[in-house]
């Protein structure tokens, strides 16, 4: 499963396999949506949510509990 690390400034790199799946290019805008189930949905801005759900959107699992 692809993963990335967030910097102290809140930035992260979208893994190559995800970029390819979404067919995004540098400068593309991504829309992030927190779902009621705790997952996060990401889609390319300008695409209808229905199209993203049909193959170009990505949903991430709910976050793991914080480590102590």
């Amino acid at each position: 499963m692809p993963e990335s690390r967030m910097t102290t400034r809140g930035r992260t790199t979208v893994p190559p396999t995800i970029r390819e799946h979404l067919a995004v290019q540098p400068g593309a805008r991504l829309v992030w949506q927190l779902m009621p189930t705790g997952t996060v949905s990401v889609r390319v801005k300008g695409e209808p949510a229905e199209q993203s759900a049909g193959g170009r959107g990505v949903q991430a699992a709910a976050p793991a509990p914080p480590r102590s």
Side-chain angles (χ1 to χ4, degrees):
M1 177 179 304
E3 61 181 58
S4 63
R5 179 176 296 157
M6 184 172 300
T7 69
T8 57
R9 295 180 71 186
R11 297 178 180 190
T12 189
T13 300
V14 179
T17 54
I18 303 301
R19 288 194 310 262
E20 292 166 7
H21 178 76
L22 293 174
V24 293
Q25 300 298 317
R29 299 200 48 98
L30 302 176
V31 177
W32 302 73
Q33 182 177 6
L34 181 59
M35 308 303 281
T37 59
T39 61
V40 175
S41 175
V42 181
R43 66 179 175 82
V44 179
K45 186 173 183 171
E47 287 189 5
E50 302 80 37
Q51 181 176 344
S52 293
R56 292 201 32 197
V58 175
Q59 283 197 340
R67 296 181 190 175
S68 341

